[in-house]
Amino acid sequence: MAESITITDNRNGQSLEIPLENGGVSASDFSKLLPGVWFYDPGLTATAACESAVTFLDGDAGILRYRGYPIEQLAEDSTFLEVAYLLLNGELPTTTEYEVWEQEVTLHTFIHENVRKRFLEGFHYDAHPMGMLVSAVAALSTFYLDAKDIFDPESRDKQIIRLIAKMPTLAAAAHRFSVGMPFVYPDNSLPFTSNFLSMMWKIAEPRFEADPVLARALDVLFILHADHEQNCSTTAMRVVGSSHADPYSCCAAACAALYGPRHGGANEAVIRMLTEIGSLDNVPSFVEAVKQGHGRLQGFGHRVYKSYDPRAKIIKRTADEVFSITGKNPLLDIALKLEEIALKDEYFISRRLYPNVDFYSGLIYQAMGFPLEMFPVLFAIPRTAGWLAHWQELLDQDTKIARPRQLYIGPEPRDYVPIDQRRS
Ligand code: ACO
């Protein structure tokens, strides 16, 4: 079978053969035949904007792999910190490499006192923690001026470690502030996820001991959320990174993209939806209303997964483990009923809409005591590893600045009219 395609410009009969590489064709090759003709692809649904070796995703087969390792195996056997190392370095660490990595991340968990005093405490008393996180991450760039040396490998590694280490501290600080609780400093004798839980929940006890089942469940959720190839926030990271901005500014842009309900805010939307449904009896009429075009079934559907989201399968098992400690989330039965009805319904089947990772993650977070506003923040902590892996890859590839074309649909040229001569 020929590994190329031929296109013909019917306006002048010219044709061009373009090789197929890794399942794609080069748009710049197309452009040779079609100068000035742009590919119209809103949402970039049919456009590969980069080459990447970080994550493999097959939406039809429900496959997700980080650096070639199946997500199921990583969720079963690995830890978030090890997965972060894998994403960033391409290989699983040896024992020594892991010890050094863990030690370095642990040493960088503290934030500059002025980040806490001047920035975090400067927010309005009811500030949304995700809004605080977006701004605090951007503010970090003003504390680490060496971050601008993005082509100095030593500086780059240092910022990566700082960001991975400080994200849980900023996240917990944003929560504590938004509920009027005092800031808790990191306890660097604790592992990464338990340290975050300590900063979240510690009150007056000398040392906060997280339930090991809950700490492991959160670590698994962090693994599942660590990367997802070219999603909206990673694309934001890459677009800003392509301008050679420092990694804190890039991460702030990625956090902002994650804030939206179509992306990192989806699990919050799921809980609000389940709460609104309120009882099992209301499920069928809710599904009918969605089918009539009144809103969407939150936590259902995915741009890429069209059979099932492999993360949703793992998360269901994690939910059972968490509920065995916390007691069942009362919204679970409504979620299960909703899933059962939707999976049998022609509307959802024909559109290939299945539960995504967010359908259950919110129920787990809520059972663990996290307020809804913290859900996107909980997503940002692990995704920072993925964002940085893509940022690093982008810089190593020496890519062009992201600058798409547009199809102009505005007015034709016209002359300026002085204000007193304009029609009201
Ligand atoms: N409920 C009901 N109908 C839906 C849903 C849904 N959740 N998702 C898609 N559809 C329908 C659309 O109405 C459309 O129907 P039509 O062809 O009759 O017009 C069709 O399915 C295709 O929908 P699109 O919006 O074109 O699909 P797209 O791939 O652009 O959207 C998205 C993907 C944004 C995730 C969408 O499915 C959605 O809004 N889901 C709910 C929000 C959500 O769960 N987001 C989390 C994503 S996972 C993550 O970010 C970690």
Side-chain angles (χ1 to χ4, degrees), residues 45 225 228 231-232 258 260-267 269-270 290-291 293 295-306 309 311 347-348 351-359 379 383:
T45 55
H225 286 91
H228 213 227
N231 53 86
C232 179
L258 195 60
R262 280 172 155 189
H263 190 12
N267 48 11
V270 170
V290 167
K291 286 163 60 180
R296 288 193 166 193
L297 209 50
Q298 298 301 328
F300 257 70
H302 198 277
R303 171 61 60 79
V304 182
Y305 293 122
K306 299 299 177 193
D309 180 341
R311 301 167 301 170
Y347 176 96
F348 296 93
R351 288 169 180 76
R352 305 176 75 190
L353 301 168
Y354 295 84
N356 59 48
V357 67
D358 287 325
F359 194 65
F379 195 159
R383 186 53 63 87

Short mmCIF file of all heavy atoms in Angstrom, two decimals, residues 45 225 228 231-232 258 260-267 269-270 290-291 293 295-306 309 311 347-348 351-359 379 383, ligand 1:
data_model
loop_
_atom_site.label_atom_id
_atom_site.label_comp_id
_atom_site.label_asym_id
_atom_site.label_seq_id
_atom_site.Cartn_x
_atom_site.Cartn_y
_atom_site.Cartn_z
N THR A 45 -9.45 19.81 15.81
CA THR A 45 -9.85 18.41 15.94
C THR A 45 -9.12 17.50 14.94
O THR A 45 -9.05 16.30 15.15
CB THR A 45 -11.37 18.25 15.73
OG1 THR A 45 -11.70 18.83 14.47
CG2 THR A 45 -12.16 18.93 16.82
N HIS A 225 -4.20 11.57 36.44
CA HIS A 225 -4.35 12.93 35.89
C HIS A 225 -3.02 13.56 35.46
O HIS A 225 -2.98 14.72 35.07
CB HIS A 225 -5.00 13.84 36.94
CG HIS A 225 -6.47 13.59 37.11
ND1 HIS A 225 -6.98 12.70 38.02
CD2 HIS A 225 -7.54 14.09 36.46
CE1 HIS A 225 -8.29 12.69 37.93
NE2 HIS A 225 -8.67 13.51 36.99
N HIS A 228 -2.19 13.87 29.62
CA HIS A 228 -3.21 13.39 28.69
C HIS A 228 -2.97 13.98 27.31
O HIS A 228 -3.87 14.53 26.70
CB HIS A 228 -4.61 13.71 29.21
CG HIS A 228 -5.60 12.67 28.80
ND1 HIS A 228 -6.82 12.96 28.27
CD2 HIS A 228 -5.52 11.33 28.84
CE1 HIS A 228 -7.45 11.84 28.00
NE2 HIS A 228 -6.69 10.83 28.35
N ASN A 231 -4.24 17.97 25.40
CA ASN A 231 -5.52 18.50 25.88
C ASN A 231 -5.46 20.04 25.91
O ASN A 231 -4.42 20.63 25.61
CB ASN A 231 -5.81 17.93 27.26
CG ASN A 231 -4.64 18.17 28.18
OD1 ASN A 231 -4.55 19.23 28.79
ND2 ASN A 231 -3.71 17.25 28.23
N CYS A 232 -6.54 20.66 26.33
CA CYS A 232 -6.64 22.12 26.27
C CYS A 232 -5.54 22.80 27.10
O CYS A 232 -4.86 23.72 26.61
CB CYS A 232 -8.03 22.52 26.77
SG CYS A 232 -8.32 24.27 26.81
N LEU A 258 -7.23 25.03 32.57
CA LEU A 258 -7.80 23.92 33.36
C LEU A 258 -8.99 24.37 34.20
O LEU A 258 -9.78 23.56 34.67
CB LEU A 258 -6.70 23.35 34.27
CG LEU A 258 -6.94 22.00 34.92
CD1 LEU A 258 -7.15 20.93 33.87
CD2 LEU A 258 -5.77 21.63 35.81
N GLY A 260 -11.62 25.98 33.38
CA GLY A 260 -12.93 25.99 32.71
C GLY A 260 -13.72 24.70 32.90
O GLY A 260 -13.15 23.63 33.01
N PRO A 261 -15.07 24.81 32.94
CA PRO A 261 -15.91 23.63 33.17
C PRO A 261 -15.85 22.57 32.08
O PRO A 261 -16.21 21.43 32.31
CB PRO A 261 -17.33 24.20 33.29
CG PRO A 261 -17.27 25.54 32.65
CD PRO A 261 -15.86 26.04 32.80
N ARG A 262 -15.35 22.94 30.88
CA ARG A 262 -15.24 21.91 29.85
C ARG A 262 -13.98 21.08 30.05
O ARG A 262 -13.74 20.13 29.31
CB ARG A 262 -15.16 22.57 28.48
CG ARG A 262 -16.48 23.00 27.95
CD ARG A 262 -16.20 23.78 26.70
NE ARG A 262 -17.31 23.78 25.79
CZ ARG A 262 -17.24 24.26 24.56
NH1 ARG A 262 -16.12 24.77 24.11
NH2 ARG A 262 -18.28 24.23 23.79
N HIS A 263 -13.13 21.48 30.99
CA HIS A 263 -11.85 20.78 31.15
C HIS A 263 -11.72 20.38 32.63
O HIS A 263 -12.37 19.46 33.08
CB HIS A 263 -10.73 21.70 30.65
CG HIS A 263 -9.38 21.08 30.51
ND1 HIS A 263 -9.16 19.72 30.58
CD2 HIS A 263 -8.15 21.64 30.31
CE1 HIS A 263 -7.87 19.48 30.42
NE2 HIS A 263 -7.24 20.63 30.26
N GLY A 264 -10.92 21.13 33.40
CA GLY A 264 -10.68 20.73 34.80
C GLY A 264 -11.87 20.97 35.71
O GLY A 264 -11.88 20.48 36.84
N GLY A 265 -12.84 21.73 35.26
CA GLY A 265 -13.99 22.00 36.11
C GLY A 265 -15.11 20.98 35.94
O GLY A 265 -16.17 21.12 36.55
N ALA A 266 -14.86 19.95 35.13
CA ALA A 266 -15.95 19.02 34.81
C ALA A 266 -16.40 18.21 36.03
O ALA A 266 -17.60 17.95 36.20
CB ALA A 266 -15.54 18.09 33.67
N ASN A 267 -15.46 17.79 36.88
CA ASN A 267 -15.90 16.96 38.02
C ASN A 267 -16.71 17.78 39.04
O ASN A 267 -17.61 17.25 39.70
CB ASN A 267 -14.75 16.19 38.68
CG ASN A 267 -13.55 17.04 38.97
OD1 ASN A 267 -13.62 18.26 38.88
ND2 ASN A 267 -12.44 16.41 39.32
N ALA A 269 -18.69 20.11 38.04
CA ALA A 269 -20.00 20.18 37.37
C ALA A 269 -20.78 18.88 37.57
O ALA A 269 -22.01 18.90 37.68
CB ALA A 269 -19.80 20.45 35.88
N VAL A 270 -20.06 17.74 37.65
CA VAL A 270 -20.73 16.45 37.87
C VAL A 270 -21.44 16.46 39.23
O VAL A 270 -22.62 16.08 39.35
CB VAL A 270 -19.71 15.28 37.82
CG1 VAL A 270 -20.36 13.98 38.28
CG2 VAL A 270 -19.16 15.12 36.41
N VAL A 290 -31.69 16.21 28.90
CA VAL A 290 -30.39 16.35 28.21
C VAL A 290 -30.57 16.02 26.73
O VAL A 290 -30.06 16.72 25.85
CB VAL A 290 -29.32 15.44 28.88
CG1 VAL A 290 -28.08 15.33 28.00
CG2 VAL A 290 -28.95 15.98 30.26
N LYS A 291 -31.30 14.95 26.48
CA LYS A 291 -31.51 14.54 25.08
C LYS A 291 -32.28 15.60 24.28
O LYS A 291 -32.12 15.73 23.08
CB LYS A 291 -32.27 13.20 25.04
CG LYS A 291 -31.37 12.03 25.44
CD LYS A 291 -32.16 10.80 25.80
CE LYS A 291 -33.01 10.26 24.69
NZ LYS A 291 -33.75 9.04 25.10
N GLY A 293 -31.78 18.60 24.58
CA GLY A 293 -30.88 19.74 24.37
C GLY A 293 -30.75 20.66 25.57
O GLY A 293 -30.17 21.74 25.47
N GLY A 295 -28.82 21.25 28.38
CA GLY A 295 -27.57 20.96 29.08
C GLY A 295 -26.94 19.66 28.62
O GLY A 295 -27.41 19.01 27.68
N ARG A 296 -25.86 19.30 29.29
CA ARG A 296 -25.11 18.09 28.95
C ARG A 296 -25.01 17.19 30.16
O ARG A 296 -25.11 17.69 31.29
CB ARG A 296 -23.72 18.44 28.48
CG ARG A 296 -23.75 19.07 27.12
CD ARG A 296 -22.41 19.15 26.48
NE ARG A 296 -22.59 19.46 25.06
CZ ARG A 296 -21.67 19.36 24.14
NH1 ARG A 296 -20.45 19.00 24.47
NH2 ARG A 296 -21.92 19.63 22.88
N LEU A 297 -24.79 15.92 29.92
CA LEU A 297 -24.53 15.01 31.02
C LEU A 297 -23.07 15.22 31.40
O LEU A 297 -22.17 14.81 30.67
CB LEU A 297 -24.76 13.59 30.51
CG LEU A 297 -25.21 12.55 31.51
CD1 LEU A 297 -26.39 13.04 32.31
CD2 LEU A 297 -25.55 11.26 30.80
N GLN A 298 -22.85 15.91 32.50
CA GLN A 298 -21.47 16.22 32.89
C GLN A 298 -20.72 14.94 33.22
O GLN A 298 -21.28 14.02 33.81
CB GLN A 298 -21.46 17.17 34.10
CG GLN A 298 -22.11 18.51 33.83
CD GLN A 298 -21.43 19.26 32.69
OE1 GLN A 298 -20.22 19.15 32.48
NE2 GLN A 298 -22.20 20.03 31.94
N GLY A 299 -19.43 14.89 32.83
CA GLY A 299 -18.65 13.67 33.09
C GLY A 299 -18.87 12.61 32.03
O GLY A 299 -18.39 11.48 32.16
N PHE A 300 -19.61 12.97 30.97
CA PHE A 300 -19.83 12.05 29.86
C PHE A 300 -19.25 12.66 28.59
O PHE A 300 -19.34 13.86 28.38
CB PHE A 300 -21.33 11.82 29.64
CG PHE A 300 -21.80 10.51 30.18
CD1 PHE A 300 -21.86 10.30 31.55
CD2 PHE A 300 -22.17 9.48 29.33
CE1 PHE A 300 -22.27 9.09 32.06
CE2 PHE A 300 -22.59 8.26 29.83
CZ PHE A 300 -22.65 8.06 31.19
N GLY A 301 -18.70 11.79 27.76
CA GLY A 301 -18.18 12.26 26.47
C GLY A 301 -16.74 12.69 26.59
O GLY A 301 -16.25 13.07 27.67
N HIS A 302 -16.04 12.59 25.49
CA HIS A 302 -14.65 13.01 25.46
C HIS A 302 -14.26 13.27 24.03
O HIS A 302 -14.71 12.58 23.12
CB HIS A 302 -13.75 11.90 26.06
CG HIS A 302 -12.40 12.40 26.44
ND1 HIS A 302 -11.39 12.54 25.54
CD2 HIS A 302 -11.94 12.84 27.63
CE1 HIS A 302 -10.33 13.03 26.17
NE2 HIS A 302 -10.63 13.22 27.43
N ARG A 303 -13.44 14.29 23.83
CA ARG A 303 -13.01 14.62 22.48
C ARG A 303 -12.28 13.44 21.83
O ARG A 303 -12.41 13.19 20.63
CB ARG A 303 -12.11 15.86 22.53
CG ARG A 303 -11.40 16.22 21.24
CD ARG A 303 -12.34 16.52 20.08
NE ARG A 303 -13.25 17.61 20.30
CZ ARG A 303 -12.93 18.90 20.20
NH1 ARG A 303 -11.73 19.26 19.86
NH2 ARG A 303 -13.83 19.83 20.41
N VAL A 304 -11.53 12.69 22.61
CA VAL A 304 -10.70 11.64 22.02
C VAL A 304 -11.26 10.23 22.30
O VAL A 304 -11.32 9.40 21.40
CB VAL A 304 -9.25 11.74 22.53
CG1 VAL A 304 -8.38 10.68 21.88
CG2 VAL A 304 -8.68 13.12 22.25
N TYR A 305 -11.65 9.95 23.55
CA TYR A 305 -12.14 8.60 23.85
C TYR A 305 -13.54 8.41 23.28
O TYR A 305 -14.47 9.10 23.68
CB TYR A 305 -12.19 8.35 25.37
CG TYR A 305 -10.84 8.30 26.00
CD1 TYR A 305 -10.51 9.18 27.02
CD2 TYR A 305 -9.88 7.38 25.59
CE1 TYR A 305 -9.26 9.16 27.60
CE2 TYR A 305 -8.63 7.36 26.16
CZ TYR A 305 -8.32 8.25 27.16
OH TYR A 305 -7.09 8.22 27.73
N LYS A 306 -13.65 7.45 22.37
CA LYS A 306 -14.95 7.19 21.77
C LYS A 306 -15.43 5.77 22.07
O LYS A 306 -16.43 5.33 21.54
CB LYS A 306 -14.92 7.45 20.26
CG LYS A 306 -14.56 8.90 19.90
CD LYS A 306 -15.55 9.94 20.44
CE LYS A 306 -15.13 11.37 20.14
NZ LYS A 306 -15.87 12.38 20.90
N ASP A 309 -13.16 5.53 28.58
CA ASP A 309 -11.99 6.22 29.13
C ASP A 309 -11.33 5.24 30.10
O ASP A 309 -11.92 4.90 31.13
CB ASP A 309 -12.49 7.50 29.84
CG ASP A 309 -11.36 8.32 30.45
OD1 ASP A 309 -10.27 7.77 30.66
OD2 ASP A 309 -11.60 9.52 30.73
N ARG A 311 -9.20 5.53 32.26
CA ARG A 311 -9.03 6.07 33.61
C ARG A 311 -10.32 5.92 34.41
O ARG A 311 -10.28 5.76 35.64
CB ARG A 311 -8.62 7.55 33.52
CG ARG A 311 -7.34 7.77 32.75
CD ARG A 311 -7.14 9.22 32.41
NE ARG A 311 -8.25 9.77 31.62
CZ ARG A 311 -8.42 11.05 31.34
NH1 ARG A 311 -7.55 11.93 31.78
NH2 ARG A 311 -9.45 11.46 30.62
N TYR A 347 -29.32 7.71 22.19
CA TYR A 347 -28.71 9.04 22.04
C TYR A 347 -27.23 8.98 22.39
O TYR A 347 -26.36 9.47 21.65
CB TYR A 347 -29.43 10.05 22.95
CG TYR A 347 -28.81 11.44 22.94
CD1 TYR A 347 -29.31 12.44 22.11
CD2 TYR A 347 -27.73 11.75 23.77
CE1 TYR A 347 -28.74 13.71 22.10
CE2 TYR A 347 -27.14 13.02 23.76
CZ TYR A 347 -27.66 13.99 22.93
OH TYR A 347 -27.08 15.23 22.92
N PHE A 348 -26.92 8.38 23.54
CA PHE A 348 -25.53 8.35 24.02
C PHE A 348 -24.70 7.30 23.25
O PHE A 348 -23.53 7.53 22.96
CB PHE A 348 -25.50 8.09 25.53
CG PHE A 348 -26.15 9.21 26.30
CD1 PHE A 348 -27.50 9.14 26.63
CD2 PHE A 348 -25.43 10.34 26.64
CE1 PHE A 348 -28.12 10.19 27.30
CE2 PHE A 348 -26.04 11.40 27.31
CZ PHE A 348 -27.40 11.32 27.64
N ARG A 351 -23.74 8.60 19.76
CA ARG A 351 -22.73 9.67 19.80
C ARG A 351 -21.46 9.22 20.51
O ARG A 351 -20.55 10.00 20.72
CB ARG A 351 -23.31 10.90 20.51
CG ARG A 351 -24.34 11.62 19.66
CD ARG A 351 -25.09 12.67 20.46
NE ARG A 351 -26.07 13.36 19.64
CZ ARG A 351 -27.24 12.86 19.26
NH1 ARG A 351 -27.58 11.63 19.63
NH2 ARG A 351 -28.07 13.55 18.51
N ARG A 352 -21.43 7.97 20.87
CA ARG A 352 -20.26 7.35 21.54
C ARG A 352 -19.86 8.15 22.79
O ARG A 352 -18.70 8.55 22.96
CB ARG A 352 -19.12 7.21 20.54
CG ARG A 352 -19.58 6.44 19.31
CD ARG A 352 -18.52 6.36 18.26
NE ARG A 352 -17.48 5.42 18.63
CZ ARG A 352 -16.33 5.29 17.97
NH1 ARG A 352 -16.09 6.05 16.92
NH2 ARG A 352 -15.43 4.42 18.35
N LEU A 353 -20.85 8.37 23.64
CA LEU A 353 -20.63 9.12 24.88
C LEU A 353 -20.57 8.15 26.06
O LEU A 353 -21.53 7.45 26.34
CB LEU A 353 -21.75 10.13 25.09
CG LEU A 353 -21.94 11.17 23.98
CD1 LEU A 353 -23.25 11.94 24.15
CD2 LEU A 353 -20.76 12.13 23.95
N TYR A 354 -19.43 8.10 26.72
CA TYR A 354 -19.20 7.20 27.86
C TYR A 354 -18.73 8.03 29.05
O TYR A 354 -18.26 9.16 28.87
CB TYR A 354 -18.12 6.17 27.52
CG TYR A 354 -18.53 5.24 26.42
CD1 TYR A 354 -18.36 5.60 25.08
CD2 TYR A 354 -19.11 4.01 26.71
CE1 TYR A 354 -18.76 4.75 24.07
CE2 TYR A 354 -19.51 3.15 25.70
CZ TYR A 354 -19.33 3.53 24.37
OH TYR A 354 -19.73 2.69 23.38
N PRO A 355 -18.80 7.46 30.27
CA PRO A 355 -18.28 8.23 31.41
C PRO A 355 -16.79 8.50 31.22
O PRO A 355 -16.06 7.63 30.76
CB PRO A 355 -18.47 7.29 32.61
CG PRO A 355 -19.42 6.25 32.17
CD PRO A 355 -19.31 6.15 30.67
N ASN A 356 -16.38 9.71 31.51
CA ASN A 356 -14.95 10.02 31.47
C ASN A 356 -14.41 10.04 32.91
O ASN A 356 -15.14 9.81 33.86
CB ASN A 356 -14.69 11.33 30.72
CG ASN A 356 -15.41 12.51 31.34
OD1 ASN A 356 -15.35 12.70 32.54
ND2 ASN A 356 -16.09 13.28 30.51
N VAL A 357 -13.12 10.33 33.05
CA VAL A 357 -12.45 10.24 34.35
C VAL A 357 -13.15 11.11 35.41
O VAL A 357 -13.17 10.78 36.59
CB VAL A 357 -10.96 10.63 34.20
CG1 VAL A 357 -10.79 12.09 33.85
CG2 VAL A 357 -10.14 10.29 35.43
N ASP A 358 -13.79 12.18 34.94
CA ASP A 358 -14.39 13.11 35.89
C ASP A 358 -15.73 12.67 36.43
O ASP A 358 -16.24 13.27 37.39
CB ASP A 358 -14.54 14.49 35.23
CG ASP A 358 -13.19 15.16 35.10
OD1 ASP A 358 -12.36 14.96 36.00
OD2 ASP A 358 -12.97 15.85 34.09
N PHE A 359 -16.32 11.64 35.82
CA PHE A 359 -17.63 11.22 36.29
C PHE A 359 -17.53 10.71 37.74
O PHE A 359 -18.42 10.93 38.55
CB PHE A 359 -18.19 10.13 35.37
CG PHE A 359 -19.67 9.88 35.60
CD1 PHE A 359 -20.59 10.87 35.32
CD2 PHE A 359 -20.11 8.67 36.09
CE1 PHE A 359 -21.95 10.66 35.54
CE2 PHE A 359 -21.46 8.45 36.29
CZ PHE A 359 -22.38 9.44 36.02
N PHE A 379 -6.58 18.74 40.29
CA PHE A 379 -6.21 18.31 38.94
C PHE A 379 -4.87 18.95 38.55
O PHE A 379 -3.99 18.32 37.95
CB PHE A 379 -7.33 18.75 38.00
CG PHE A 379 -7.35 18.14 36.63
CD1 PHE A 379 -8.53 18.14 35.89
CD2 PHE A 379 -6.22 17.57 36.06
CE1 PHE A 379 -8.58 17.60 34.63
CE2 PHE A 379 -6.26 17.02 34.79
CZ PHE A 379 -7.45 17.04 34.08
N ARG A 383 -1.08 17.41 37.04
CA ARG A 383 -0.94 17.74 35.62
C ARG A 383 0.29 18.62 35.38
O ARG A 383 0.80 18.71 34.26
CB ARG A 383 -2.24 18.39 35.10
CG ARG A 383 -2.30 18.66 33.60
CD ARG A 383 -2.00 17.44 32.72
NE ARG A 383 -2.93 16.35 32.85
CZ ARG A 383 -4.06 16.19 32.17
NH1 ARG A 383 -4.40 17.08 31.29
NH2 ARG A 383 -4.83 15.11 32.36
N1 ACO B 1 -24.11 15.13 27.22
C1 ACO B 1 -25.00 15.14 26.22
N2 ACO B 1 -24.66 15.26 24.91
C2 ACO B 1 -23.36 15.37 24.63
C3 ACO B 1 -22.37 15.35 25.63
C4 ACO B 1 -22.80 15.22 26.96
N3 ACO B 1 -21.91 15.20 27.97
N4 ACO B 1 -21.15 15.47 25.07
C5 ACO B 1 -21.35 15.56 23.76
N5 ACO B 1 -22.71 15.50 23.48
C6 ACO B 1 -23.34 15.50 22.17
C7 ACO B 1 -23.38 16.90 21.56
O1 ACO B 1 -24.55 17.58 21.91
C8 ACO B 1 -23.28 16.58 20.11
O2 ACO B 1 -24.56 16.14 19.69
P1 ACO B 1 -25.10 16.53 18.20
O3 ACO B 1 -24.17 15.83 17.25
O4 ACO B 1 -26.51 16.05 18.18
O5 ACO B 1 -24.99 18.03 18.11
C9 ACO B 1 -22.36 15.37 20.04
O6 ACO B 1 -22.53 14.71 21.31
C10 ACO B 1 -20.89 15.72 19.86
O7 ACO B 1 -20.54 16.71 20.83
P2 ACO B 1 -19.29 17.70 20.69
O8 ACO B 1 -19.50 18.85 21.60
O9 ACO B 1 -19.07 17.98 19.23
O10 ACO B 1 -18.10 16.78 21.19
P3 ACO B 1 -16.68 17.30 21.60
O11 ACO B 1 -15.75 16.18 21.31
O12 ACO B 1 -16.38 18.63 21.01
O13 ACO B 1 -16.82 17.54 23.18
C11 ACO B 1 -16.62 17.32 25.51
C12 ACO B 1 -16.16 16.80 24.15
C13 ACO B 1 -16.35 18.84 25.64
C14 ACO B 1 -15.84 16.61 26.61
C15 ACO B 1 -18.14 17.05 25.65
O14 ACO B 1 -18.40 15.66 25.53
C16 ACO B 1 -18.71 17.59 26.96
O15 ACO B 1 -19.08 18.77 27.02
N6 ACO B 1 -18.81 16.73 28.02
C17 ACO B 1 -19.30 17.17 29.31
C18 ACO B 1 -18.19 17.89 30.06
C19 ACO B 1 -17.10 16.94 30.52
O16 ACO B 1 -17.37 15.88 31.09
N7 ACO B 1 -15.84 17.35 30.33
C20 ACO B 1 -14.68 16.57 30.81
C21 ACO B 1 -13.81 16.13 29.70
S1 ACO B 1 -12.54 15.09 30.34
C22 ACO B 1 -11.33 16.14 30.91
O17 ACO B 1 -11.20 17.27 30.58
C23 ACO B 1 -10.46 15.56 31.94
#
